[in-house]
Amino acid sequence: MTIIKRITPNRIIRLVSLFLLLAISLRWFYPWSEMPRINIEQRPKTENARAATEWYVSPSGQQTNTGAIDSPWNLAYALGGAGGSIQPGDTVWLRGGTYEGNYVSSLSGTESARITIKQYPGERAIISDNRNGSGMQTLVINGSWTDYIGFEITNSSTDRVIERPTGLTVLGPNSRIINLVIHDAGNGVGFWSPATNSELYGNLSFNNGWQAAEPDRGHGHGVYTQNATGTKQIKDNIFFNQYGWGVQAYTTNGSLNGFNIDGNASFNNGAAARNERNDNILVGGHQPAENATITNNYTYHPLDAWGMGLHLGYSDTANVNVITRDNYIVGGIWTNNISRWSSITMTGNTFYSPLTLMELRLPDGTSPPPPYTWDNNTYYDGSDTAFKLYDINGTKVSYDFDGWKAASGLDTNSTYSSSSPTGLWKFVRPNAYDSQRANVVVYNWDNLDTTTLSSSDLSGTGISNNDAYEIRDVQNYFGDPIATGRYNGSSISLPLPDTNGTAAQPIGGTTTVSHTSKEFNSYVLSYTPATYHTITPSVSGQGSLSISSPTQVLGGDDLTVTT
């Protein structure tokens, strides 16, 4: 039985009285500022979170399509945001084929939800321009917080005398350019000051530029960059065979403040031009350079070439600070020119040239020893006058190694050998954005035809026993792989091509490029993890299987069963 009591006026009065009595009692024991409070947590309002979406474009796509895999958009519409459809966190897949023309991206993600523009797996997406002329670009990035991954940018014009469009112009802040292949453009990449805190990572840039008419030089660089705020990241790229320079951080009236140049291979830049070799890495211009870090890079020119590996400082400009650590700078006859820096850290580097190993000019009016951290470097070969130091009057004086140390006050614990190096220097750099990819650089001083990448060399790549690998010679990247197979858990055999090897030629023009000699080679290693299938035998009738139960079989292999 349920008893229902009526709420009468008297009952209401009694309830109010009890409440007031309780309140007065609490006030007696607690000041109002210390009254215990009952916090009722209010849940934040939740909106229906939008799941990240995958969109598709193709060379034959249409703006009126839905962006689905079977109804792709065209590239221009997608890079413009597809009418607001593409949102932070989304991925846009570029299906294989050639996207003719020039494009502008305004896509913007967020720090926590980047947009990704990426080549579709197993296909080759090519953005191809065919124009010539100054001030042009093939792909311009204006948005922010967006990644551009894995596709190709080129120019099909055969005219190599007229200026060509820059392949990729990066203006958007917090952009990442990852594992692209950029070739036969004007400048491969224009990496400019508005693109604050952006990154150029793992890209191949080659055969970019044009040969101006006599007596002018070759123009067009692997990357041409400037920066004012934040730090530009230029990491683990491979630059080679430009008409101009490899990495050029240079300005006339702009800013050169904040660069991290790390892990790049830069070689034979200038080779596509007429009788030239140019700087593989240049940081300097007509305005002060500062906050530059140059580490773990690998440069090469033939030892008899008139080209420079590392050029820090330019003209008579006074520069501020640079860190140069653990680089390998090889060839040509003049490896380095370092000019007018207030602060230098120069440690752990290796230099090799048959003539000039180091040329240093201190800030104007400065006498040695300079206040630099400069030690524990290694020098090979060079002449008896391989070290050049400008005195306080601006006169260049040549020294041997002992004379250099005495005159400069530098390199106290560094080493010098008058002989050429021997053996092999091998470097494997795993890709930070693709766990199944790595760059490989080999200096081969013993003139071997092949070498091996040991399990120790490959330890950082994640490759495992039976993984299927392929290795591509970057100088013939779109040719057949130079090595393929399944990793045996111990080593991979690696051919070391010479000047008879195949090198991708510039599109158009009259100059040709040769493959490097055996002294230097660079590769891209990629692999696919092994897959296994479990076989559980089942036998009916007479006979028996010769395999245990169950058995794992490597995907793609044949299984032979006897009964």
Side-chain angles (χ1 to χ4, degrees):
M1 181 176 66
T2 301
I3 299 175
I4 300 176
K5 294 185 178 181
R6 294 179 60 194
I7 304 298
T8 65
N10 289 334
R11 289 182 182 276
I12 292 173
I13 292 170
R14 286 198 294 269
L15 287 172
V16 170
S17 299
L18 286 172
F19 177 79
L20 291 173
L21 180 62
L22 177 61
I24 293 169
S25 299
L26 287 172
R27 174 66 182 90
W28 179 263
F29 291 105
Y30 295 96
W32 285 118
S33 61
E34 299 177 6
M35 281 285 291
R37 290 172 171 78
I38 301 173
N39 294 319
I40 301 174
E41 182 178 351
Q42 185 172 355
R43 293 186 180 182
K45 294 180 179 180
T46 58
E47 299 176 0
N48 293 329
R50 177 187 178 279
T53 303
E54 296 188 349
W55 306 101
Y56 298 85
V57 302
S58 79
S60 60
Q62 300 295 322
Q63 177 175 330
T64 53
N65 288 346
T66 65
I69 192 169
D70 57 352
S71 182
W73 290 318
N74 61 48
L75 180 58
Y77 184 61
L79 292 177
S85 296
I86 300 173
Q87 293 292 307
D90 288 358
T91 297
V92 179
W93 291 102
L94 274 61
R95 300 304 304 267
T98 300
Y99 298 79
E100 299 282 357
N102 56 290
Y103 300 89
V104 176
S105 174
S106 58
L107 294 172
S108 289
T110 66
E111 184 174 7
S112 61
R114 304 180 70 93
I115 293 174
T116 299
I117 313 298
K118 191 173 185 180
Q119 177 175 273
Y120 192 78
E123 299 182 0
R124 182 177 173 184
I126 307 168
I127 298 176
S128 181
D129 208 338
N130 63 1
R131 303 171 299 157
N132 288 86
S134 63
M136 295 180 176
Q137 297 88 29
T138 298
L139 174 59
V140 178
I141 294 173
N142 283 329
S144 61
W145 300 108
T146 299
D147 297 342
Y148 299 81
I149 304 176
F151 53 90
E152 182 180 350
I153 301 174
T154 189
N155 188 305
S156 61
S157 171
T158 58
D159 188 336
R160 298 309 285 244
V161 176
I162 302 173
E163 183 174 345
R164 300 164 81 82
T166 294
L168 177 64
T169 296
V170 187
L171 301 173
N174 301 295
S175 300
R176 295 195 298 215
I177 315 304
I178 301 168
N179 299 341
L180 301 192
V181 181
I182 305 170
H183 63 97
D184 292 284
N187 292 305
V189 181
F191 202 26
W192 304 119
S193 291
T196 55
N197 297 317
S198 290
E199 183 174 15
L200 194 66
Y201 186 93
N203 305 282
L204 304 186
S205 179
F206 60 92
N207 291 357
N208 295 296
W210 66 98
Q211 175 61 67
E214 292 272 16
D216 200 358
R217 60 175 174 84
H219 295 260
H221 317 300
V223 56
Y224 191 169
T225 185
Q226 297 168 5
N227 198 57
T229 59
T231 302
K232 287 280 193 308
Q233 305 288 339
I234 301 175
K235 301 174 67 175
D236 285 284
N237 305 283
I238 302 178
F239 304 101
F240 61 98
N241 289 353
Q242 322 302 333
Y243 283 73
W245 279 239
V247 177
Q248 173 162 282
Y250 171 88
T251 188
T252 301
N253 297 308
S255 296
L256 296 175
N257 181 1
F259 299 97
N260 183 28
I261 301 171
D262 177 69
N264 303 281
S266 189
F267 62 95
N268 276 7
N269 290 293
R274 181 180 49 244
N275 302 319
E276 290 188 34
R277 285 292 194 279
N278 295 319
D279 300 344
N280 284 320
I281 299 175
L282 165 66
V283 178
H286 295 279
Q287 301 298 322
E290 55 187 313
N291 299 319
T293 300
I294 303 165
T295 53
N296 305 301
N297 298 286
Y298 314 98
T299 78
Y300 175 82
H301 278 307
L303 297 175
D304 60 352
W306 187 265
M308 198 180 305
L310 183 63
H311 192 172
L312 302 179
Y314 190 87
S315 186
D316 58 356
T317 304
N319 301 293
V320 183
N321 58 309
V322 62
I323 295 171
T324 308
R325 183 184 294 126
D326 298 331
N327 301 284
Y328 286 75
I329 311 296
V330 175
I333 62 175
W334 189 16
T335 56
N336 300 277
N337 187 309
I338 300 173
S339 179
R340 295 184 171 93
W341 292 83
S342 297
S343 173
I344 299 177
T345 296
M346 178 76 67
T347 60
N349 302 286
T350 299
F351 304 105
Y352 175 28
S353 170
L355 189 59
T356 299
L357 287 165
M358 182 60 63
E359 182 166 318
L360 174 64
R361 183 190 289 266
L362 303 179
D364 291 344
T366 302
S367 298
Y372 296 164
T373 302
W374 188 307
D375 207 356
N376 297 306
N377 301 295
T378 301
Y379 301 93
Y380 286 98
D381 205 354
S383 66
D384 292 339
T385 58
F387 297 86
K388 320 290 185 182
L389 178 64
Y390 288 80
D391 66 20
I392 194 170
N393 299 314
T395 301
K396 182 166 64 174
V397 182
S398 299
Y399 298 95
D400 63 12
F401 186 55
D402 289 335
W404 156 261
K405 291 196 294 182
S408 69
L410 307 174
D411 276 325
T412 302
N413 299 296
S414 298
T415 61
Y416 167 75
S417 171
S418 60
S419 302
S420 301
T422 59
L424 290 95
W425 302 341
K426 295 182 289 184
F427 307 94
V428 179
R429 292 187 62 89
N431 192 290
Y433 294 101
D434 185 342
S435 62
Q436 297 165 25
R437 175 174 171 142
N439 290 348
V440 179
V441 171
V442 179
Y443 294 93
N444 171 23
W445 305 124
D446 291 346
N447 202 35
L448 301 177
D449 293 328
T450 60
T451 187
T452 58
L453 298 177
S454 67
S455 57
S456 177
D457 296 327
L458 298 167
S459 61
T461 66
I463 193 169
S464 299
N465 193 42
N466 286 322
D467 289 352
Y469 66 83
E470 70 171 33
I471 300 177
R472 292 186 175 273
D473 178 356
V474 299
Q475 297 173 73
N476 186 33
Y477 187 74
F478 292 116
D480 293 334
I482 201 166
T484 60
R486 287 194 180 275
Y487 181 49
N488 61 14
S490 176
S491 64
I492 293 175
S493 179
L494 182 63
L496 300 169
D498 61 12
T499 53
N500 293 317
T502 301
Q505 296 301 307
I507 296 173
T510 59
T511 57
T512 60
V513 295
S514 298
H515 198 283
T516 54
S517 71
K518 295 177 186 177
E519 285 182 343
F520 181 89
N521 276 283
S522 182
Y523 312 85
V524 174
L525 162 70
S526 60
Y527 66 90
T528 303
T531 56
Y532 294 88
H533 305 292
T534 301
I535 307 299
T536 303
S538 177
V539 179
S540 60
Q542 296 181 343
S544 61
L545 289 172
S546 63
I547 60 176
S548 60
S549 173
T551 294
Q552 282 191 327
V553 179
L554 186 64
D557 284 0
D558 294 328
L559 172 66
T560 301
V561 178
T562 59
T563 60

